[in-house]
């Protein structure tokens, strides 16, 4: 397209953005109008994509980080022939693919869900990492950001990581339109302020008039020719560009224009221009998954004498899984010597990504890698995953398949104290839509679950422990997700102890103590916290009438609540006592921590005995 045609295309994108928001009665047309020239030039001259083959390995990848500007994206899809005008006008309506913020669940051309600002660039970094280090197919990653979201710390985690990895296949385009939701942004139209920040992180920066299509075209060309650095194009634009009643005016964010017909007339009226998006270059197919016999590590029951930490089993199992499957990748937040991800790094350095202390970027990179067909395992301390929870939530919105591993969970970590103790993680991960939450108690169980996670969908979370634990299962034992293990049972059970992870051994010891007092207790290892084994729990409730749940986690949202979920369909709720961490712990040895929290064998036995005695009285 020549200059005049690019200008006309940009005007069409503005008109269609106005029309879509007007038809919906909601949306963000002014945020779309500011970036119309940027999008027009990108699609017409530089973006390489086959809309009929969104999985084409050579396709460039586009991420709309400012997801509220979805009318612009959908208008561009229409111009490219991917959708028709009738569908454009279904924007934000029930059943429409064109949601208020785009998601890959609905549209095959969307790489990741956005709308929680500050996430598009970090995920784009993950996609660029896949392209640079793994796929090596020559595709580029383009991320359109808003200036408001540059206040998010996650943007700067992404900026530093992209420069560190020399991601010259990544271009960030910042729509610097000066206005945020409630008024001016921090730096307004000061492009130099943004440039200094990106330059400090090692980016190549280009400042441009975002409404000069020829200047934008040259900027994209410069980005394509830059080597060794990611590029950011800082484009000065005007929100609501082209409509006098809206241009550069406050108070119009997230609102359709009051008189759409008048605005469309001022923009030059309706157009039906089509843009020919360049075809991707021919390239090799994506990685193939090696299908062979998986040799997981094995431990014999009762050995070694001091036990095996489940975090150690995670590292060994993940390494073995990486040997058996070429699509497994590992990420870690600079704690690989603790999470044991370093074992994978030593065996498969080409598929290991050190994300340093940047948990948001770590999870975002996992999402980006997953979007390119890789199967990521991302690990850090369970406590620190809370910092990335919004990224986990948005990964679920995307339908991303990622594996998260939280080590050093609970008070059982001992002397490090409460800042290092993951005591909220089970609740946090159980609340994620479609998630799987696993909490193994021994090495063989851990290894089996690590392998099983690779075949699951959605967000998968594995909780591992710092200290060594006895190997109580044989190496050939199976642990289906959604299941549990009944470790001790008899027809005379008067009580059921439900535990997971570090509390399984405590529950078994408590059952021995109760037996000496003439009370037989069933013990269930509820390693699958979500989905929970309703059938086994209901059978236990019917047989024994009394349940004690015990967890190294806060009372809210953890194992106890998972057990209660098994009885929320009108079935009788058994007599239930929930043992959990209810006080703020300090520093102490692991056994002292468990006792102080009231979740050790002695506490479990006392609670169980009291519950049975009360049941007899009643």
């Amino acid at each position: 397209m020549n200059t005049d045609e690019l200008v006309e295309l940009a005007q069409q994108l503005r008109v269609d953005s106005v029309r879509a928001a007007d038809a919906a009665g909601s949306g963000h047309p002014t945020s779309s109008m500011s970036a119309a020239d940027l999008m027009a030039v990108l699609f017409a001259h530089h973006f390489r994509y086959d809309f009929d083959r969104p999985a084409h390995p050579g396709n460039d990848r586009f991420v709309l980080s400012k997801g509220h500007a979805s009318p612009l994206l959908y208008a561009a899809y229409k111009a490219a022939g991917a959708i028709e005008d009738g569908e454009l006008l279904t924007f934000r309506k029930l059943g429409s693919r064109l949601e208020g913020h785009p998601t890959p669940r609905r549209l095959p051309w969307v790489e990741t869900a956005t709308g929680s600002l500050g996430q598009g660039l970090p995920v784009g970094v993950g996609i660029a990492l896949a392209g640079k280090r793994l796929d090596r197919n020559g595709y580029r990653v383009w991320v359109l950001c808003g200036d408001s979201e540059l206040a998010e710390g996650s943007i700067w985690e992404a900026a530093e990581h992209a420069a560190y990895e020399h991601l010259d296949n990544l271009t960030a385009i910042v729509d610097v339109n000066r206005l945020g939701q409630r008024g001016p942004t921090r730096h307004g139209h000061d492009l130099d302020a943004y440039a200094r920040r990106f330059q400090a992180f090692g980016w190549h920066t280009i400042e441009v008039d975002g409404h000069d299509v020829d200047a934008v075209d040259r900027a994209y060309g410069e980005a394509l020719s830059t080597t060794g650095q990611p590029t950011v194009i800082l484009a000065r634009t005007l929100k609501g560009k082209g409509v006098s009643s809206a241009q550069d005016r406050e108070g119009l964010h997230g609102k359709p224009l009051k008189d759409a017909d008048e605005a469309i007339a001022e923009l030059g009226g309706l157009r039906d221009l089509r843009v020919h998006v360049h075809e991707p270059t021919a390239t090799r197919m994506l990685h193939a998954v090696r299908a062979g016999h998986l040799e997981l590590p094995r431990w014999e029951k009762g050995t070694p004498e001091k036990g095996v930490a489940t975090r150690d089993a995670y590292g060994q199992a993940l390494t073995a899984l990486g040997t058996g499957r070429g699509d497994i990748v590992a990420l870690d937040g600079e704690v690989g010597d603790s999470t044991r991800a370093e074992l994978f790094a030593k065996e498969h350095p080409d598929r290991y990504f050190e994300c340093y202390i940047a948990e948001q970027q770590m999870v975002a990179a996992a999402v980006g890698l997953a979007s390119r067909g890789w199967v990521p395992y991302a690990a850090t301390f369970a406590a620190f995953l809370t910092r990335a929870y919004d990224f986990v939530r948005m990964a679920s919105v995307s339908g991303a398949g990622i594996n998260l591993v939280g080590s050093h969970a609970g008070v059982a970590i001992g002397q490090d104290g409460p800042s290092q103790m993951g005591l909220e993680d089970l609740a946090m991960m159980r609340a994620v839509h479609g998630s799987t939450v696993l909490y193994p108690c021994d090495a063989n169980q851990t290894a089996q679950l690590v392998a099983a996670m690779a075949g699951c969908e959605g967000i998968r979370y594995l909780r591992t422990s710092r200290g060594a634990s006895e190997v109580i299962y044989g190496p050939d034992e199976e642990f289906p997700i959604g299941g549990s293990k009944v470790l001790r049972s008899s027809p005379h059970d008067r009580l059921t102890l439900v535990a997971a992870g570090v509390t399984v051994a405590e529950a078994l010891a408590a059952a021995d103590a109760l037996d000496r007092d003439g009370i037989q207790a069933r013990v269930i290892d509820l390693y699958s916290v979500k989905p929970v084994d309703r059938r086994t729990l209901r059978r236990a409730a019917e047989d024994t009438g009394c349940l004690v749940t015990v967890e190294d986690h806060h009372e809210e949202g953890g194992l106890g609540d998972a057990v209660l979920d098994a009885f929320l369909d009108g079935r009788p709720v058994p007599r239930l006592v929930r043992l959990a961490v209810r006080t703020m712990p300090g520093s102490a040895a692991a056994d002292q921590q468990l006792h102080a929290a009231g979740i050790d064998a002695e506490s479990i036995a006392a609670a169980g005995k009291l519950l049975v005695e009360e049941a007899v009285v009643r």
Side-chain angles (χ1 to χ4, degrees), residues 527-567:
Y527 63 84
S528 181
V529 182
K530 181 186 177 183
V532 72
D533 186 354
R534 290 178 169 85
R535 183 176 181 179
T536 298
L537 291 170
R538 290 168 178 171
R539 177 65 183 272
E542 292 171 1
D543 290 349
T544 70
C546 297
L547 267 64
V548 175
T549 65
V550 54
E551 58 190 305
D552 192 0
H553 184 273
H554 286 321
E555 180 180 16
E556 298 83 3
L559 187 74
D561 281 354
V563 170
L564 275 176
D565 283 351
F567 302 95

Side-chain angles (χ1 to χ4, degrees), residues 215-297:
V216 171
D217 196 19
R218 291 192 295 271
Y220 288 155
E222 184 177 334
L224 289 170
S225 64
T226 299
T227 59
Q229 291 176 286
T231 295
V232 59
I233 296 170
L234 300 162
R236 185 187 190 280
T237 64
L238 298 175
K239 203 166 185 176
K241 170 68 175 176
V243 176
S244 55
S245 62
Q247 184 169 297
D248 202 31
R249 292 180 180 268
E250 297 183 26
L252 296 179
H253 183 89
K255 299 176 182 177
L257 300 189
K258 289 184 178 179
D259 192 333
D261 290 338
E262 183 178 309
I264 291 169
E266 188 175 353
L267 290 167
L270 298 179
R271 300 162 177 80
D272 191 22
L273 301 175
R274 298 291 171 173
V275 60
H276 176 70
V277 175
H278 294 297
E279 293 287 322
T281 56
T283 186
R284 64 182 178 86
M285 294 299 293
L286 288 179
H287 50 278
V289 178
R290 283 180 292 182
H293 179 64
L294 176 60
E295 290 286 349
L296 288 174

